[in-house]
Amino acid sequence: MRVLLIAFRLIWKRKLTNITIVVQIILSIIMLAQLFVFVSDHRSSVRAVSELPVSDTIVVSVFEYYTMEQAARQILATPEVESVGKIYTGTFFYNNVSINLAIYNDAIIKHYFPNLTSGNWLSDNPSVDNNAIPVVVSFDMGLRTGDTVHMSLPNGDAYQVTVVGVLKEPTQYLYPSGSASPEYFSARVIISPESVVIMRDTDLSDTSVFEPALGQPAARNLFVFINGDANAADVEAVTDAWRKYGETTPMTSLIANYVKDTNSLIGGASLMFIVFLSLAATSVLSSYLTQSMRNRRLFTVFYLLGMEWRKGVAIEICRMLILIIITMSLCLIAGASGLLMLQWMTLRSAYTFYGIVLLYITVTFAAIGVRFLVRLVREDISAALKELQQSE
Amino acid sequence: MLIEMIGIEKVFKTGKVSAVSKILKGIDLTIEKGEMVAVKGSSGAGKSTLLHILGCLDRPTSGIYRLNGVDITNESSSNLSKIRNKRLGFVMQHFALVEDDNVLANVSVPLLFAKTPFSQVDALSMEKLRQLGIDHLAGQKVSKLSGGEKQRVAIARALVNNTDIILADEPTGALDQENSALIMDIFKKLNLLGTTIIIVTHEEFVANACERVITIADGKIA
Ligand SMILES: Nc1ncnc2c1ncn2[C@@H]1O[C@H](COP(=O)(O)OP(=O)(O)O)[C@@H](O)[C@H]1O
Ligand SMILES: [Mg+2]
């Protein structure tokens, strides 16, 4: 117990240094959290992008001077085209909260299968009560498969909807607002993370009453699905011809670009983080080392006064453990108070994150602590005594 | 006989290879209880090395060391620690104090290792400080004190467990004449009260103040 007491006293004695060390470590952990969120965010976007319909899909970003209907009609007239996917966007109010509304036509529903936590996708023609409209909703809306509720348009029109499926968390679904040209393409353009209600256009008598959500541009993207037996040269030729309606890009190249850009972004951020972390670690290590060296002289004095040499080792281990526990507790507090952005992580990545944090803290303290301990254990006492003969 | 050394040798490894040098080459020495002994010798003669062995800080390479008639040459480090703590007090040239702690905390350290109940620690430490006339310094940081004051704190610490042997290594080496005289005065008084005192020195006046002088030369007692 005296060992523990002395360890606490040693930490208290150099409290300023120790506070600096702990703060530095916590700051780098907050940075680590940011990187972690950034990386897992991008990784989930990459995952969502990989769910997009790719095989023989071409995205046409329609110019403003064509209406979507005109462009769709022209493109559909091409023999190589199997169908044209369209998405109407709008707003629904549910419990007085506005929620994105995405209305998919049959072509989209047939080619696109988002991940669900429960229920069925709209392509399974789920049967519901006569008056209700089958919908798939995002998880965060708190609805369950089978629930039937009322939702309304901004103009007050009420709809009865029945939930047939619930999207997986984090929410990701096809929501084509803005441009899909390769330079601007990001998962955010084509994948939305917001709350959503998805329905089929065939379940609605009139889609013209739906308007894009406030602040969202009208969808300008058509998803053109090519016939499986069309030959590549012909497809290239007709794709060229559509350039007058809008920018055309194969889905595969959009995705490839996106994944490449995301990976280099993650690489860059990680590199920056590693540089910062090594700087922080170097400064932590050097002040911890100085402290340990000063403790060595202290232990020699203690030895003189009747401490066993190996008690010094025990004190040093305790000091290391106490600092690890303090730092880790502060991290848990920081996490609980939202500083570590854990709210953006799934439970599993939050646990992984804490695991990494514990590893980082332990390695940082142990890196010097253990080296110092090994020296202390192997110490030739007469050498330490000789040093004590010199003035401090 | 309080202390008895027979044929004590000490070999140090020098450098990285297996080169060795024998610093003590067979020391035979007896010291009675209540003696005040000076150990003289040129620099590097092995005075401190001998003091470290006398003080159970280091072990001899060979030979026999008896304390109160008990052979402690091969005693466990745990028991040697207890002997250092309870029976031996060290006074070093550069004080070996914890500079950034206050005087009272410094004097209490041996009590901490002796597992003295916390309730008694301060009182016992203050008593020794009073005995040395420095109780007014109790709350002062050691780094703020003069050399003479520091050495008196060191002596208070050496005595706090009511030790019966004081081992001093050049205790006046870092002090001016006036303070050196003061410290020697304190040693004399302690000796009169029955404390055995062994002082390593190369200063004539320190040796002259002791009743017995031992000289080490060429690894032996001359
Ligand atoms: N731990 C050690 N390792 C190697 N050599 C040592 C060690 N301690 C002392 N020595 C050597 O032993 C000799 C005697 O040292 P010391 O006892 O300190 O002499 P002094 O009589 O000046 O106190 C010196 O040459 C010193 O260099
Ligand atoms: Mg010496």
Side-chain angles (χ1 to χ4, degrees), chain A residues 13 303 305 382 389 392, chain B residues 57-58 84-85 94 100-101:
Chain A
K13 204 178 166 69
Y303 176 74
L305 303 175
S382 55
Q389 287 177 31
E392 201 170 357
Chain B
L57 290 166
D58 209 351
R84 285 200 304 278
N85 182 249
H94 294 290
D100 48 5
D101 273 354

Side-chain angles (χ1 to χ4, degrees), chain B residues 37-200:
Chain B
V37 184
V39 178
K40 274 181 61 176
S42 53
S43 173
K47 304 183 295 294
S48 296
T49 305
L50 176 63
L51 195 84
H52 293 161
I53 295 171
L54 278 167
C56 304
L57 290 166
D58 209 351
R59 292 173 189 273
T61 313
S62 63
I64 295 168
Y65 177 16
R66 292 200 186 98
L67 190 64
N68 281 105
V70 180
D71 187 349
I72 58 164
T73 321
N74 296 310
E75 200 61 78
S76 71
S77 7
S78 154
N79 282 341
L80 290 180
S81 299
K82 286 195 185 100
I83 293 173
R84 285 200 304 278
N85 182 249
K86 296 262 166 58
R87 302 204 50 197
L88 307 171
F90 294 91
V91 178
M92 313 297 267
Q93 178 176 4
H94 294 290
F95 321 116
L97 294 167
V98 185
E99 293 275 330
D100 48 5
D101 273 354
N102 70 22
V103 168
L104 191 67
N106 265 275
V107 176
S108 320
V109 176
L111 296 171
L112 209 65
F113 292 124
K115 298 198 159 70
T116 308
F118 288 117
S119 54
Q120 296 172 25
V121 167
D122 281 3
L124 289 172
S125 306
M126 281 308 287
E127 188 189 313
K128 288 298 168 211
L129 288 175
R130 215 170 294 123
Q131 195 181 326
L132 285 153
I134 47 170
D135 46 333
H136 60 287
L137 297 177
Q140 292 265 339
K141 227 182 190 188
V142 167
S143 54
K144 299 259 159 62
L145 305 181
S146 73
E149 289 169 332
K150 284 184 187 177
Q151 204 57 299
R152 278 186 284 167
V153 173
I155 295 173
R157 184 181 68 179
L159 295 170
V160 77
N161 266 336
N162 294 318
T163 42
D164 56 345
I165 304 170
I166 281 195
L167 299 164
D169 194 346
E170 311 267 10
T172 57
L175 303 180
D176 59 20
Q177 263 189 348
E178 191 186 332
N179 276 307
S180 298
L182 189 80
I183 296 300
M184 287 313 293
D185 237 40
I186 293 171
F187 282 148
K188 275 223 137 109
K189 281 187 186 131
L190 288 171
N191 183 238
L192 283 176
L193 292 169
T195 308
T196 307
I197 296 178
I198 303 168
I199 306 175
V200 162

